[in-house]
Amino acid sequence: MLIQYEAWPTLFDNSYIVAGAGDRMYELHNLGWNAFQQLCLTIVREILGQTVESFLDSNDGGRDGAFAGQWKTIGAESFTGRFVIQCKFTARINSTLRLAHLSDEVAKARRLVEQGRCDGYVLLTNAKVSGKKAEQIEDLFTAAGVKHIIVHGLSWICDQIRENKRLRMLVPRVYGLGDLSQILDERAYTQARAVLASLREELAKTVVTEAYRRAAAALDQHGFVLLIGEPAAGKTTIASLLSMAAIDQWNASLLKLDAPGKVMEHWNPHEPSQFFWLDDAFGVAQYEAFLVHGWNHILPQLPTMLRTGAKVVMTSRDYIYNSARKDLKEGAFPLMKESRVVIDVQDLTAEERRQILYNHLKLGKQPKSFRADIKPHLEAVALHRRFIPETARRLADPLFTKGLYIDDYYLGQFVEKREQLLQEVLQGIDDDSKAALALVYMRNDRLESPIQLQPSEEQAIARLRSTLGGCVAALEALKGSLVQHFYDNGESVWRFKHPTIGDAYASILVRNPELLGIYVQGTAPEKLVEQVTCGDVGIEQAVIIPKALYPLVLSRLREFATTAYKDPWLARWSARSGLQGFLRWRCSKEFLSLYLANHPDLLDKVSQPGLMLDSVPEVGLAVRLHELGLLPEGHCRKFVAAVSNYALEGQDLYALDNLGIRSVFEDHEFGEFLLKVRTELVPRLDHIRREWQSNYPSDDRPESYMQPLLDSFEALKGHFVDDQESMKIVEREAGRAAEWIHEHMPDDSDEKPRRKLGKVTAADAPGGERSIFDDVDL
């Protein structure tokens, strides 16, 4: 089967097409000629059940397209013969198909009938076609000798989209071109509105890429997918498409979370339709070690979650994931490291690039004149080696193209130097807009609305020559370009439109000492320690604080304990964890020396860490200070004694297998430690295992609770592989622990039938020589 595409006079409009009794229809006039013909192709295959080989986009000597065989309609009728299929698109809203539009087609059909090459004629159009008009069209083609005529217009196509879930998944742009309340049930619609409302415009511009198809296949096969790519490569877009398809296909319960601990908090083993979406799982713009440690605690439980029917989608920037891998316990969750579920979302085909660029420009904010001027250059833009989806979004927004000279060279620079040009845009906006972006950045990309400023923030925006009122007005003006407004867990929040905007703002901070001082003085301490480093410690995209501002940072850190939580205990715990994590990961030796000079009591704290050595912050900081030569000898010995005692008492064996802790031991100390473990600890493993079992809290998962003990057994095996007697004891106790876990596993551990999205087939690229950008300026 071959299908001919034809477009006719257009008028661009962003409102809904309304038909008949006032039902809201899909905005198919916004698809463009290429995407509409792909929709028709999918309908013919999925709804009408015919095999389509390709489309034609140019005159083929009178033969629009052909299908030979038995055509089966949705009803009981079926037709046999050779069929011509016509796809007619209009970008004019509320357009009605007229007989005059079909004069050429009737003449072509008559010639094909005379040649014995047309027994039937199928017409698909996004124009409105009334019943009376369909009868008149049938009469026209019958008079030309056609035996069977099938005509489907806007209402019929929209009905197919509403009634066919798989069609919507295969052409997910329609989620952004229609009314979700007409597609989803009330519960699913409420979730979609809360989580995806801010993405509606982006859904209307999405393109089904090979990365999306691979991600859907991985999700079907494993129930888990990790999307990896450079900033602005489209990871969040793919995750949103998968989420929307899951809500639509199997009425999934969508949970968009920002921390690993919240996964276990919200997981319900009795609700197998849960769909977990975790954007930037290991850090938004920088690697966050505490997130990885959180994942390490729940990774052993992910297989159980997946067996009970839950789905998990995670995203991460490539450089952040590369940093995280050294700390991730991937062995506890092998799917994390299998290449087939680690998707490189920036590997776009030429056709995908063209469609992404077309969709953004067609549905963007640029005037018709701009689109007409840039149209001859769009092919070169799409094929540029540094083109990513974010490039298309910026070209479609006048804020980013102000002063852009339209020719191949300057457009090439626009794509090539996207980071530099974004910084120039931010530097060129007015003072209120700069202050508004500063507030979003100072709140670590989460500015609650209505905005309530802390005293330090009021001083900061005043020094930026702005006011709260000016910032509020600026946020409204910047909405959709540099910032976005959405609702998250019932809270109204402002965020950057894309994380790369925060990256660009950070780059500006580093180059402007005065602005950097305002930022350090105005940002809340708990946010500050997540964004800066004191000295260059190798964290990508971090704001590096120069030595001249070290005293100011020290003074801000003193405020830390009073800002994290209202509850006193949580405030102290959060402050301790956040502060010591900052000192460990984000501070140079010079800053640490200065901090210790002002806080000598820190040495006593880190040399006597508490239990749960893999989680308490003192351990990592002690190792870091020892590595830099800042942990005095006496404190080293105290540290060694504390972690050794925990192991010998069977409370915490983390010291056995952690290389950082091992580095604090003297060689002879570690040898003596292992001897005591063999002679004092191993013979008592049966008692230790029973004690663990007797202390099991009923509200915890048995496999999660026992995982630290199982890890300890593995560490013992590694050290005593040549000691048969010790190995025998360790393996016996490991086996008994595994049996206990199995006996205490709840019934929900049984594997549930796996819900699948189904294979997402690739759409055919248009044949012929017509450019996809042909109607971008209409």
Side-chain angles (χ1 to χ4, degrees), residues 351-576:
E351 185 60 27
E352 291 166 354
R353 290 163 172 252
R354 295 185 186 103
Q355 189 69 62
I356 289 170
L357 184 55
Y358 175 93
N359 290 355
H360 280 79
L361 281 169
K362 189 71 173 178
L363 298 178
K365 301 177 182 179
Q366 295 289 9
K368 181 177 179 180
S369 58
F370 178 90
R371 287 180 276 135
D373 290 343
I374 201 173
K375 183 164 76 170
H377 309 281
L378 292 178
E379 180 72 10
V381 171
L383 297 182
H384 194 286
R385 66 179 184 85
R386 293 209 70 203
F387 175 88
I388 56 174
E390 180 66 9
T391 305
R393 188 184 76 82
R394 293 179 190 174
L395 267 181
D397 192 326
L399 178 69
F400 295 96
T401 58
K402 192 180 301 182
L404 176 64
Y405 188 76
I406 304 298
D407 71 4
D408 284 341
Y409 173 78
Y410 287 105
L411 285 170
Q413 292 295 295
F414 184 90
V415 182
E416 178 72 29
K417 299 181 178 180
R418 56 178 186 256
E419 297 89 355
Q420 176 183 334
L421 292 174
L422 178 56
Q423 292 172 22
E424 292 176 0
V425 168
L426 298 187
Q427 289 172 327
I429 57 180
D430 60 75
D431 289 340
D432 287 334
S433 297
K434 289 178 181 177
L437 295 182
L439 280 179
V440 176
Y441 190 84
M442 288 159 62
R443 293 287 185 92
N444 206 9
D445 199 21
R446 186 182 176 84
L447 177 62
E448 293 83 1
S449 177
I451 302 170
Q452 295 182 343
L453 297 179
Q454 298 181 12
S456 60
E457 292 171 332
E458 292 179 353
Q459 296 172 14
I461 63 171
R463 292 178 65 187
L464 291 171
R465 298 183 297 277
S466 183
T467 62
L468 177 58
C471 289
V472 171
L475 287 170
E476 287 294 334
L478 297 173
K479 185 164 64 175
S481 295
L482 295 177
V483 298
Q484 61 179 328
H485 179 261
F486 70 104
Y487 290 90
D488 184 23
N489 293 324
E491 293 184 348
S492 174
V493 177
W494 290 99
R495 295 189 65 178
F496 289 122
K497 178 67 175 176
H498 195 275
T500 52
I501 297 170
D503 296 343
Y505 191 86
S507 298
I508 294 172
L509 277 179
V510 172
R511 296 198 305 268
N512 188 326
E514 179 63 24
L515 187 60
L516 185 55
I518 295 174
Y519 160 70
V520 172
Q521 185 63 55
T523 304
E526 68 270 18
K527 302 297 183 184
L528 189 67
V529 298
E530 296 175 356
Q531 297 172 313
V532 306
T533 65
C534 289
D536 187 354
V537 294
I539 296 180
E540 293 189 55
Q541 300 297 333
V543 175
I544 301 174
I545 302 296
K547 297 177 184 178
L549 292 178
Y550 283 1
L552 178 58
V553 174
L554 282 173
S555 69
R556 296 310 318 281
L557 292 180
R558 294 190 187 99
E559 306 169 29
F560 206 119
T562 63
T563 58
Y565 288 94
K566 293 181 180 179
D567 180 86
W569 185 88
L570 282 176
R572 289 192 298 271
W573 176 85
S574 176
R576 178 172 63 92

Side-chain angles (χ1 to χ4, degrees), residues 263-264 267 274 276 298 301-312 701 703:
V263 174
M264 300 314 302
W267 175 47
Q274 286 184 303
F276 294 90
I298 73 165
Q301 299 181 61
L302 285 185
T304 301
M305 291 177 57
L306 301 183
R307 284 197 301 271
T308 61
K311 306 282 187 181
V312 179
R701 302 284 301 183
E703 73 276 28

Side-chain angles (χ1 to χ4, degrees), residues 165 175 184-185 187-189 191-193 195-196 240-254 275 757:
K165 294 181 177 182
Y175 289 126
L184 309 175
D185 66 28
R187 185 197 64 80
Y189 171 65
Q191 285 199 355
R193 180 176 57 186
V195 178
L196 301 173
S240 68
L241 289 180
L242 293 172
S243 301
M244 193 69 247
I247 292 174
D248 189 12
Q249 295 292 299
W250 58 69
N251 201 24
S253 175
L254 177 61
F275 188 101
L757 297 175

